[in-house]
Amino acid sequence: ITLLHTTLRQYVGPNMTIQFITGHTHIRAYHQLDDYSSSFEAGRYLDTIGYVSFHPQIANSSEHVFVNANQLSLAQSLGTSE
């Protein structure tokens, strides 16, 4: 991610939003790389659903949430009953 981030920054400048959706390490992880970029990994073995959002012109606006991939957690995150 570091190499990709550094290379992209050279082309798009410091204020364009970059959102990396990463995987393969089988962990839930979120890293703020700079004011306009972050890396989000939703988990392992389909046990997690991840949501990430950001405003493209506002620094540090990235928000994320991890939801366990089961019926109760999904219903709660959607504000509905099972």
Side-chain angles (χ1 to χ4, degrees):
I1 295 297
T2 303
L3 178 60
L4 288 173
H5 177 253
T6 302
T7 303
L8 284 170
R9 275 287 164 245
Q10 292 173 358
Y11 289 98
V12 302
N15 297 325
M16 179 174 278
T17 300
I18 301 171
Q19 178 62 60
F20 293 99
I21 307 297
T22 57
H24 197 70
T25 62
H26 304 291
I27 60 172
R28 293 179 183 184
Y30 176 84
H31 302 284
Q32 189 75 37
L33 303 171
D34 64 27
D35 288 346
Y36 287 93
S37 63
S38 61
S39 173
F40 179 81
E41 184 172 351
R44 60 186 178 89
Y45 310 122
L46 301 175
D47 70 345
T48 308
I49 297 171
Y51 297 97
V52 64
S53 65
F54 54 87
H55 189 288
Q57 284 102 22
I58 298 176
N60 297 310
S61 68
S62 181
E63 297 181 22
H64 68 282
V65 65
F66 298 108
V67 179
N68 291 328
N70 62 57
Q71 188 174 359
L72 178 60
S73 294
L74 290 171
Q76 289 173 340
S77 71
L78 296 172
T80 65
S81 62
E82 286 185 67

